[in-house]
Amino acid sequence: MGFPDASKDLSSEMEVDAFRRLFPLKYFERHLAEAIRPDGRPLGKARDTTVVLGAVASANGSALVKIGSTTMLTAIKMEVMTPSLESPDEGCIAIDFHMPPICSPIVRPGRPAEAAPVISKQLSDTISSSGSIDLKELSLVTGKAAWMAYLDVYCLDADGALFDAALLSAVAALSHLQIPAVAMNDDGKIVLLSEDDGQKKAQEPVNKEKRNLTLRSIPFSLTCILHKNYILVDPTAEEESIMETVVTIALDTSGQLVSLYKPGGPVLAFTSAIQDCVALTRQRVKELKGILEEANSTMQVE
Amino acid sequence: MAGKGGSAPATYSPSPTTQKKKTSLFQEDWVRPDGRGFHQCRPAFFRTGAVNAASGSAYAEFGNTKIIVSVFGPRESKKAMMYSDIGRLNCNVSYTTFASPVRGQGSDHKEYTAMLHKALEGAIILESFPKTTVDVFALVLESGGSDLPVVISCASLALADAGIMMYDLVASVSVSCLSKNLVIDPIFEEENSQDGSLMITCMPSRYEITQLTFTGEWSTPKIDEGMQLCLDACAKLAKIMRSCLKEAASDSQE
């Protein structure tokens, strides 16, 4: 727990632990009065964030993201589908968020966590409404073949701010995604082009070489907790369970608002509180953009 | 953002133009794709404390097989369960959608949950946590062959990390029979073309086996050879697991 005062004897240390369990709200409020949180962070500071690209070698794009202890692993696998009649020159992205039983004591096998489908929908809505991906780039042969990108986000460790970490890992995996080189063979099926194919190609290469997806504006998000007059940034699972009012704001790199999500909660948010949250999110977007760019440049060097 | 038509469209994975020739496994001079000797296991990497939210956890990486196991508990049993004066063990093994090279295939290992349960049951001192349940959940991040043995070894490490009392660490190794050769710790390709397999889960310090699984055709001398290979490998694996636990313990003391 890291209490610096070593002069306290064991009985009063036990009291602190017990106090934390028995009166969690009072415990937190004592800290908030000093403008600090139990893990030592100031109210407006997010936890350490790391992004590692290419975590899953067999996938076309992948990323492992850690925000504090919350860990998300995303992998993108590309498969071929026939495009729909309404949009014959567009591909598709299927985003799915999974919370396997390993990630949290509240998840049971066979019973998906309550949060999982909510975050899954939130993710797909945010990414599609941010307009960062042009589905036409996923087209192969108009009307006949297009890419279906299966984007699976797995939560490996759930410690609060799940949506932020999930969005960051999805976006990081999309920036790492490499569309494989394929050709259409005589049966009309798409096959992979292997690089050391010395034979004369009877097939027409549909996609000559591996290429990356161009991402237009990238959405980043920040979750805040509202409690009385305080705004706590990037909550842990403990904080989320005690102070239930959560606000999630997603902005894109050009500063435009992509989504604002405040699902009820006991605290009502005035305009000023929302504006403060947006300002905090703006700062965080700069940080996250820097982290993602660094991760991308590290990948290219390798 | 799923298919605008309503139901998910059928998709297929683009397969490479030149299929790798199925190298004849029926030859005497089969060379393992990763260059190992027939009686050589993959290098094992273990790390405990992978998941912060769990009471105990471990991450194992054997070549391309990557597993995370979390242990929760001992915690309250489901209210519907009958009273039990010894503890209960609840296991679950699941695969990610990207664990196998082709999405969605290879995730039909529903029997692994029951096998994990049987492998660990004998080693845990259930009397030490009456009325409660210990949950062991495994997630296979990448399936590179020999998944179940790695899951079992990783689970026993996670149980140790959680402080659950056990008679001994449990280590597990499998051997594949490819025509006349016995190869230990098979990878995915080797498992697919095997004629028989043997998996042993044992408690090395006590020289006791908690689970033994044979499939396929085995002659008695082959059985003896296979079992000896496995037991030796389990002993070595247990040493690696122990040193991992000791490192973790000394790191936390600092």
Side-chain angles (χ1 to χ4, degrees), chain A residues 97-117, chain B residues 75 78-80 90 92 94 137:
Chain A
F97 177 73
H98 307 255
M99 277 184 77
I102 57 162
C103 75
S104 163
I106 52 175
V107 183
R108 297 279 169 175
R111 242 193 165 181
E114 272 177 21
Chain B
R75 54 183 178 179
K78 276 198 197 148
K79 297 192 172 74
N90 181 29
N92 186 268
S94 55
F137 299 136

PDB file of all heavy atoms in Angstrom, chain A residues 97-117, chain B residues 75 78-80 90 92 94 137:
ATOM      1  N   PHE A  97     -15.526  -6.613 -28.645  1.00  0.00           N
ATOM      2  CA  PHE A  97     -14.775  -6.450 -27.409  1.00  0.00           C
ATOM      3  C   PHE A  97     -15.088  -7.642 -26.502  1.00  0.00           C
ATOM      4  O   PHE A  97     -16.246  -7.966 -26.273  1.00  0.00           O
ATOM      5  CB  PHE A  97     -15.191  -5.141 -26.731  1.00  0.00           C
ATOM      6  CG  PHE A  97     -14.535  -4.910 -25.399  1.00  0.00           C
ATOM      7  CD1 PHE A  97     -13.194  -4.566 -25.345  1.00  0.00           C
ATOM      8  CD2 PHE A  97     -15.238  -5.021 -24.219  1.00  0.00           C
ATOM      9  CE1 PHE A  97     -12.575  -4.351 -24.127  1.00  0.00           C
ATOM     10  CE2 PHE A  97     -14.631  -4.800 -22.998  1.00  0.00           C
ATOM     11  CZ  PHE A  97     -13.291  -4.471 -22.947  1.00  0.00           C
ATOM     12  N   HIS A  98     -14.038  -8.305 -26.032  1.00  0.00           N
ATOM     13  CA  HIS A  98     -14.252  -9.478 -25.196  1.00  0.00           C
ATOM     14  C   HIS A  98     -13.666  -9.260 -23.811  1.00  0.00           C
ATOM     15  O   HIS A  98     -12.568  -8.711 -23.682  1.00  0.00           O
ATOM     16  CB  HIS A  98     -13.537 -10.705 -25.786  1.00  0.00           C
ATOM     17  CG  HIS A  98     -13.881 -10.982 -27.203  1.00  0.00           C
ATOM     18  ND1 HIS A  98     -14.704 -12.005 -27.595  1.00  0.00           N
ATOM     19  CD2 HIS A  98     -13.506 -10.361 -28.341  1.00  0.00           C
ATOM     20  CE1 HIS A  98     -14.808 -12.005 -28.898  1.00  0.00           C
ATOM     21  NE2 HIS A  98     -14.100 -11.022 -29.393  1.00  0.00           N
ATOM     22  N   MET A  99     -14.389  -9.736 -22.801  1.00  0.00           N
ATOM     23  CA  MET A  99     -13.804  -9.705 -21.461  1.00  0.00           C
ATOM     24  C   MET A  99     -13.702 -11.147 -21.000  1.00  0.00           C
ATOM     25  O   MET A  99     -14.655 -11.694 -20.449  1.00  0.00           O
ATOM     26  CB  MET A  99     -14.700  -8.907 -20.495  1.00  0.00           C
ATOM     27  CG  MET A  99     -14.466  -7.418 -20.591  1.00  0.00           C
ATOM     28  SD  MET A  99     -15.393  -6.458 -19.400  1.00  0.00           S
ATOM     29  CE  MET A  99     -14.491  -6.712 -17.906  1.00  0.00           C
ATOM     30  N   PRO A 100     -12.574 -11.802 -21.226  1.00  0.00           N
ATOM     31  CA  PRO A 100     -12.467 -13.196 -20.814  1.00  0.00           C
ATOM     32  C   PRO A 100     -12.419 -13.308 -19.297  1.00  0.00           C
ATOM     33  O   PRO A 100     -12.086 -12.336 -18.629  1.00  0.00           O
ATOM     34  CB  PRO A 100     -11.139 -13.635 -21.443  1.00  0.00           C
ATOM     35  CG  PRO A 100     -10.357 -12.395 -21.614  1.00  0.00           C
ATOM     36  CD  PRO A 100     -11.338 -11.289 -21.846  1.00  0.00           C
ATOM     37  N   PRO A 101     -12.733 -14.462 -18.745  1.00  0.00           N
ATOM     38  CA  PRO A 101     -12.795 -14.587 -17.287  1.00  0.00           C
ATOM     39  C   PRO A 101     -11.484 -14.256 -16.579  1.00  0.00           C
ATOM     40  O   PRO A 101     -11.488 -13.965 -15.387  1.00  0.00           O
ATOM     41  CB  PRO A 101     -13.168 -16.051 -17.051  1.00  0.00           C
ATOM     42  CG  PRO A 101     -13.644 -16.575 -18.327  1.00  0.00           C
ATOM     43  CD  PRO A 101     -13.161 -15.692 -19.426  1.00  0.00           C
ATOM     44  N   ILE A 102     -10.344 -14.272 -17.314  1.00  0.00           N
ATOM     45  CA  ILE A 102      -9.097 -13.998 -16.610  1.00  0.00           C
ATOM     46  C   ILE A 102      -8.993 -12.567 -16.143  1.00  0.00           C
ATOM     47  O   ILE A 102      -8.211 -12.259 -15.245  1.00  0.00           O
ATOM     48  CB  ILE A 102      -7.840 -14.276 -17.480  1.00  0.00           C
ATOM     49  CG1 ILE A 102      -7.873 -13.460 -18.766  1.00  0.00           C
ATOM     50  CG2 ILE A 102      -7.672 -15.728 -17.763  1.00  0.00           C
ATOM     51  CD1 ILE A 102      -6.518 -13.363 -19.417  1.00  0.00           C
ATOM     52  N   CYS A 103      -9.744 -11.666 -16.779  1.00  0.00           N
ATOM     53  CA  CYS A 103      -9.421 -10.252 -16.562  1.00  0.00           C
ATOM     54  C   CYS A 103      -9.949  -9.691 -15.261  1.00  0.00           C
ATOM     55  O   CYS A 103      -9.429  -8.677 -14.782  1.00  0.00           O
ATOM     56  CB  CYS A 103      -9.920  -9.404 -17.729  1.00  0.00           C
ATOM     57  SG  CYS A 103     -11.688  -9.153 -17.741  1.00  0.00           S
ATOM     58  N   SER A 104     -10.975 -10.291 -14.694  1.00  0.00           N
ATOM     59  CA  SER A 104     -11.565  -9.628 -13.537  1.00  0.00           C
ATOM     60  C   SER A 104     -12.360 -10.605 -12.700  1.00  0.00           C
ATOM     61  O   SER A 104     -12.966 -11.522 -13.236  1.00  0.00           O
ATOM     62  CB  SER A 104     -12.482  -8.512 -14.038  1.00  0.00           C
ATOM     63  OG  SER A 104     -13.355  -8.105 -13.036  1.00  0.00           O
ATOM     64  N   PRO A 105     -12.399 -10.414 -11.381  1.00  0.00           N
ATOM     65  CA  PRO A 105     -13.162 -11.340 -10.545  1.00  0.00           C
ATOM     66  C   PRO A 105     -14.663 -11.285 -10.791  1.00  0.00           C
ATOM     67  O   PRO A 105     -15.375 -12.195 -10.389  1.00  0.00           O
ATOM     68  CB  PRO A 105     -12.830 -10.905  -9.113  1.00  0.00           C
ATOM     69  CG  PRO A 105     -12.195  -9.587  -9.218  1.00  0.00           C
ATOM     70  CD  PRO A 105     -11.626  -9.449 -10.557  1.00  0.00           C
ATOM     71  N   ILE A 106     -15.154 -10.225 -11.468  1.00  0.00           N
ATOM     72  CA  ILE A 106     -16.601 -10.173 -11.658  1.00  0.00           C
ATOM     73  C   ILE A 106     -17.066 -10.924 -12.905  1.00  0.00           C
ATOM     74  O   ILE A 106     -18.244 -11.084 -13.117  1.00  0.00           O
ATOM     75  CB  ILE A 106     -17.117  -8.725 -11.739  1.00  0.00           C
ATOM     76  CG1 ILE A 106     -16.326  -7.952 -12.782  1.00  0.00           C
ATOM     77  CG2 ILE A 106     -17.026  -8.048 -10.398  1.00  0.00           C
ATOM     78  CD1 ILE A 106     -16.851  -6.559 -12.998  1.00  0.00           C
ATOM     79  N   VAL A 107     -16.140 -11.386 -13.731  1.00  0.00           N
ATOM     80  CA  VAL A 107     -16.554 -12.083 -14.959  1.00  0.00           C
ATOM     81  C   VAL A 107     -16.566 -13.574 -14.719  1.00  0.00           C
ATOM     82  O   VAL A 107     -15.600 -14.133 -14.219  1.00  0.00           O
ATOM     83  CB  VAL A 107     -15.584 -11.772 -16.114  1.00  0.00           C
ATOM     84  CG1 VAL A 107     -16.056 -12.433 -17.388  1.00  0.00           C
ATOM     85  CG2 VAL A 107     -15.466 -10.287 -16.304  1.00  0.00           C
ATOM     86  N   ARG A 108     -17.661 -14.226 -15.107  1.00  0.00           N
ATOM     87  CA  ARG A 108     -17.753 -15.675 -14.960  1.00  0.00           C
ATOM     88  C   ARG A 108     -17.729 -16.321 -16.343  1.00  0.00           C
ATOM     89  O   ARG A 108     -18.293 -15.768 -17.275  1.00  0.00           O
ATOM     90  CB  ARG A 108     -19.076 -16.036 -14.285  1.00  0.00           C
ATOM     91  CG  ARG A 108     -19.211 -15.498 -12.891  1.00  0.00           C
ATOM     92  CD  ARG A 108     -18.500 -16.366 -11.931  1.00  0.00           C
ATOM     93  NE  ARG A 108     -18.390 -15.748 -10.617  1.00  0.00           N
ATOM     94  CZ  ARG A 108     -17.889 -16.367  -9.578  1.00  0.00           C
ATOM     95  NH1 ARG A 108     -17.442 -17.599  -9.696  1.00  0.00           N
ATOM     96  NH2 ARG A 108     -17.816 -15.761  -8.429  1.00  0.00           N
ATOM     97  N   PRO A 109     -17.140 -17.501 -16.466  1.00  0.00           N
ATOM     98  CA  PRO A 109     -17.164 -18.154 -17.781  1.00  0.00           C
ATOM     99  C   PRO A 109     -18.598 -18.483 -18.176  1.00  0.00           C
ATOM    100  O   PRO A 109     -19.390 -18.898 -17.355  1.00  0.00           O
ATOM    101  CB  PRO A 109     -16.355 -19.441 -17.566  1.00  0.00           C
ATOM    102  CG  PRO A 109     -16.252 -19.612 -16.127  1.00  0.00           C
ATOM    103  CD  PRO A 109     -16.421 -18.282 -15.470  1.00  0.00           C
ATOM    104  N   GLY A 110     -18.913 -18.281 -19.433  1.00  0.00           N
ATOM    105  CA  GLY A 110     -20.250 -18.591 -19.909  1.00  0.00           C
ATOM    106  C   GLY A 110     -21.217 -17.439 -19.716  1.00  0.00           C
ATOM    107  O   GLY A 110     -22.295 -17.408 -20.272  1.00  0.00           O
ATOM    108  N   ARG A 111     -20.829 -16.460 -18.928  1.00  0.00           N
ATOM    109  CA  ARG A 111     -21.718 -15.329 -18.690  1.00  0.00           C
ATOM    110  C   ARG A 111     -20.954 -14.057 -19.012  1.00  0.00           C
ATOM    111  O   ARG A 111     -20.148 -13.613 -18.193  1.00  0.00           O
ATOM    112  CB  ARG A 111     -22.080 -15.300 -17.229  1.00  0.00           C
ATOM    113  CG  ARG A 111     -23.535 -15.470 -16.997  1.00  0.00           C
ATOM    114  CD  ARG A 111     -23.832 -15.116 -15.608  1.00  0.00           C
ATOM    115  NE  ARG A 111     -25.246 -14.917 -15.432  1.00  0.00           N
ATOM    116  CZ  ARG A 111     -25.807 -14.568 -14.298  1.00  0.00           C
ATOM    117  NH1 ARG A 111     -25.046 -14.358 -13.262  1.00  0.00           N
ATOM    118  NH2 ARG A 111     -27.091 -14.416 -14.214  1.00  0.00           N
ATOM    119  N   PRO A 112     -21.158 -13.465 -20.166  1.00  0.00           N
ATOM    120  CA  PRO A 112     -20.351 -12.284 -20.501  1.00  0.00           C
ATOM    121  C   PRO A 112     -20.599 -11.157 -19.525  1.00  0.00           C
ATOM    122  O   PRO A 112     -21.701 -10.987 -19.020  1.00  0.00           O
ATOM    123  CB  PRO A 112     -20.821 -11.912 -21.904  1.00  0.00           C
ATOM    124  CG  PRO A 112     -22.042 -12.685 -22.150  1.00  0.00           C
ATOM    125  CD  PRO A 112     -22.124 -13.800 -21.176  1.00  0.00           C
ATOM    126  N   ALA A 113     -19.569 -10.365 -19.249  1.00  0.00           N
ATOM    127  CA  ALA A 113     -19.694  -9.250 -18.309  1.00  0.00           C
ATOM    128  C   ALA A 113     -20.677  -8.242 -18.861  1.00  0.00           C
ATOM    129  O   ALA A 113     -20.826  -8.082 -20.056  1.00  0.00           O
ATOM    130  CB  ALA A 113     -18.332  -8.603 -18.111  1.00  0.00           C
ATOM    131  N   GLU A 114     -21.329  -7.516 -17.973  1.00  0.00           N
ATOM    132  CA  GLU A 114     -22.297  -6.500 -18.397  1.00  0.00           C
ATOM    133  C   GLU A 114     -21.643  -5.442 -19.242  1.00  0.00           C
ATOM    134  O   GLU A 114     -22.243  -4.919 -20.164  1.00  0.00           O
ATOM    135  CB  GLU A 114     -22.894  -5.812 -17.173  1.00  0.00           C
ATOM    136  CG  GLU A 114     -24.101  -6.505 -16.635  1.00  0.00           C
ATOM    137  CD  GLU A 114     -24.628  -5.822 -15.380  1.00  0.00           C
ATOM    138  OE1 GLU A 114     -24.324  -4.631 -15.174  1.00  0.00           O
ATOM    139  OE2 GLU A 114     -25.319  -6.510 -14.631  1.00  0.00           O
ATOM    140  N   ALA A 115     -20.406  -5.109 -18.891  1.00  0.00           N
ATOM    141  CA  ALA A 115     -19.732  -4.012 -19.589  1.00  0.00           C
ATOM    142  C   ALA A 115     -19.334  -4.376 -21.010  1.00  0.00           C
ATOM    143  O   ALA A 115     -19.187  -3.496 -21.850  1.00  0.00           O
ATOM    144  CB  ALA A 115     -18.492  -3.602 -18.800  1.00  0.00           C
ATOM    145  N   ALA A 116     -19.176  -5.678 -21.289  1.00  0.00           N
ATOM    146  CA  ALA A 116     -18.592  -6.061 -22.586  1.00  0.00           C
ATOM    147  C   ALA A 116     -19.399  -5.614 -23.813  1.00  0.00           C
ATOM    148  O   ALA A 116     -18.849  -4.965 -24.695  1.00  0.00           O
ATOM    149  CB  ALA A 116     -18.302  -7.562 -22.614  1.00  0.00           C
ATOM    150  N   PRO A 117     -20.699  -5.930 -23.900  1.00  0.00           N
ATOM    151  CA  PRO A 117     -21.404  -5.474 -25.102  1.00  0.00           C
ATOM    152  C   PRO A 117     -21.539  -3.957 -25.181  1.00  0.00           C
ATOM    153  O   PRO A 117     -21.568  -3.380 -26.270  1.00  0.00           O
ATOM    154  CB  PRO A 117     -22.775  -6.136 -24.994  1.00  0.00           C
ATOM    155  CG  PRO A 117     -22.879  -6.675 -23.633  1.00  0.00           C
ATOM    156  CD  PRO A 117     -21.545  -6.768 -23.045  1.00  0.00           C
TER     157      PRO A 117
ATOM    158  N   ARG B  75     -12.874 -18.061  -2.956  1.00  0.00           N
ATOM    159  CA  ARG B  75     -13.975 -17.146  -2.753  1.00  0.00           C
ATOM    160  C   ARG B  75     -15.281 -17.919  -2.587  1.00  0.00           C
ATOM    161  O   ARG B  75     -15.326 -19.115  -2.807  1.00  0.00           O
ATOM    162  CB  ARG B  75     -14.082 -16.150  -3.886  1.00  0.00           C
ATOM    163  CG  ARG B  75     -14.155 -16.726  -5.265  1.00  0.00           C
ATOM    164  CD  ARG B  75     -14.187 -15.599  -6.272  1.00  0.00           C
ATOM    165  NE  ARG B  75     -14.221 -16.111  -7.637  1.00  0.00           N
ATOM    166  CZ  ARG B  75     -14.270 -15.349  -8.713  1.00  0.00           C
ATOM    167  NH1 ARG B  75     -14.294 -14.040  -8.592  1.00  0.00           N
ATOM    168  NH2 ARG B  75     -14.297 -15.877  -9.915  1.00  0.00           N
ATOM    169  N   LYS B  78     -20.923 -20.656  -5.256  1.00  0.00           N
ATOM    170  CA  LYS B  78     -22.249 -20.212  -5.717  1.00  0.00           C
ATOM    171  C   LYS B  78     -23.280 -20.677  -4.708  1.00  0.00           C
ATOM    172  O   LYS B  78     -23.211 -21.787  -4.200  1.00  0.00           O
ATOM    173  CB  LYS B  78     -22.559 -20.862  -7.064  1.00  0.00           C
ATOM    174  CG  LYS B  78     -21.984 -20.154  -8.218  1.00  0.00           C
ATOM    175  CD  LYS B  78     -22.692 -20.575  -9.495  1.00  0.00           C
ATOM    176  CE  LYS B  78     -21.840 -20.188 -10.672  1.00  0.00           C
ATOM    177  NZ  LYS B  78     -21.976 -21.096 -11.794  1.00  0.00           N
ATOM    178  N   LYS B  79     -24.276 -19.822  -4.487  1.00  0.00           N
ATOM    179  CA  LYS B  79     -25.260 -20.147  -3.441  1.00  0.00           C
ATOM    180  C   LYS B  79     -26.013 -21.429  -3.762  1.00  0.00           C
ATOM    181  O   LYS B  79     -26.496 -22.108  -2.872  1.00  0.00           O
ATOM    182  CB  LYS B  79     -26.228 -18.991  -3.265  1.00  0.00           C
ATOM    183  CG  LYS B  79     -25.511 -17.754  -2.790  1.00  0.00           C
ATOM    184  CD  LYS B  79     -26.452 -16.660  -2.323  1.00  0.00           C
ATOM    185  CE  LYS B  79     -25.684 -15.526  -1.685  1.00  0.00           C
ATOM    186  NZ  LYS B  79     -24.958 -14.685  -2.637  1.00  0.00           N
ATOM    187  N   ALA B  80     -26.108 -21.760  -5.027  1.00  0.00           N
ATOM    188  CA  ALA B  80     -26.861 -22.961  -5.398  1.00  0.00           C
ATOM    189  C   ALA B  80     -26.120 -24.244  -5.047  1.00  0.00           C
ATOM    190  O   ALA B  80     -26.711 -25.312  -4.991  1.00  0.00           O
ATOM    191  CB  ALA B  80     -27.152 -22.927  -6.888  1.00  0.00           C
ATOM    192  N   ASN B  90     -12.787 -24.826  -9.772  1.00  0.00           N
ATOM    193  CA  ASN B  90     -13.574 -24.531 -10.959  1.00  0.00           C
ATOM    194  C   ASN B  90     -12.614 -24.060 -12.048  1.00  0.00           C
ATOM    195  O   ASN B  90     -11.839 -23.137 -11.826  1.00  0.00           O
ATOM    196  CB  ASN B  90     -14.571 -23.422 -10.611  1.00  0.00           C
ATOM    197  CG  ASN B  90     -15.447 -23.057 -11.778  1.00  0.00           C
ATOM    198  OD1 ASN B  90     -15.723 -23.884 -12.637  1.00  0.00           O
ATOM    199  ND2 ASN B  90     -15.882 -21.815 -11.822  1.00  0.00           N
ATOM    200  N   ASN B  92     -11.651 -23.191 -16.326  1.00  0.00           N
ATOM    201  CA  ASN B  92     -12.169 -22.858 -17.649  1.00  0.00           C
ATOM    202  C   ASN B  92     -11.002 -22.534 -18.570  1.00  0.00           C
ATOM    203  O   ASN B  92     -10.093 -21.799 -18.185  1.00  0.00           O
ATOM    204  CB  ASN B  92     -13.113 -21.657 -17.549  1.00  0.00           C
ATOM    205  CG  ASN B  92     -13.780 -21.372 -18.868  1.00  0.00           C
ATOM    206  OD1 ASN B  92     -13.300 -20.593 -19.667  1.00  0.00           O
ATOM    207  ND2 ASN B  92     -14.890 -22.030 -19.130  1.00  0.00           N
ATOM    208  N   SER B  94     -10.244 -21.038 -22.384  1.00  0.00           N
ATOM    209  CA  SER B  94     -10.844 -20.488 -23.593  1.00  0.00           C
ATOM    210  C   SER B  94      -9.752 -19.972 -24.530  1.00  0.00           C
ATOM    211  O   SER B  94      -8.629 -19.707 -24.092  1.00  0.00           O
ATOM    212  CB  SER B  94     -11.841 -19.377 -23.265  1.00  0.00           C
ATOM    213  OG  SER B  94     -11.220 -18.398 -22.495  1.00  0.00           O
ATOM    214  N   PHE B 137      -8.827 -19.786 -14.411  1.00  0.00           N
ATOM    215  CA  PHE B 137      -9.260 -19.466 -15.772  1.00  0.00           C
ATOM    216  C   PHE B 137      -8.037 -19.322 -16.654  1.00  0.00           C
ATOM    217  O   PHE B 137      -7.105 -18.612 -16.308  1.00  0.00           O
ATOM    218  CB  PHE B 137     -10.047 -18.162 -15.793  1.00  0.00           C
ATOM    219  CG  PHE B 137     -11.297 -18.191 -14.966  1.00  0.00           C
ATOM    220  CD1 PHE B 137     -11.622 -17.133 -14.137  1.00  0.00           C
ATOM    221  CD2 PHE B 137     -12.150 -19.271 -15.014  1.00  0.00           C
ATOM    222  CE1 PHE B 137     -12.782 -17.158 -13.377  1.00  0.00           C
ATOM    223  CE2 PHE B 137     -13.307 -19.307 -14.253  1.00  0.00           C
ATOM    224  CZ  PHE B 137     -13.623 -18.241 -13.426  1.00  0.00           C
TER     225      PHE B 137
END
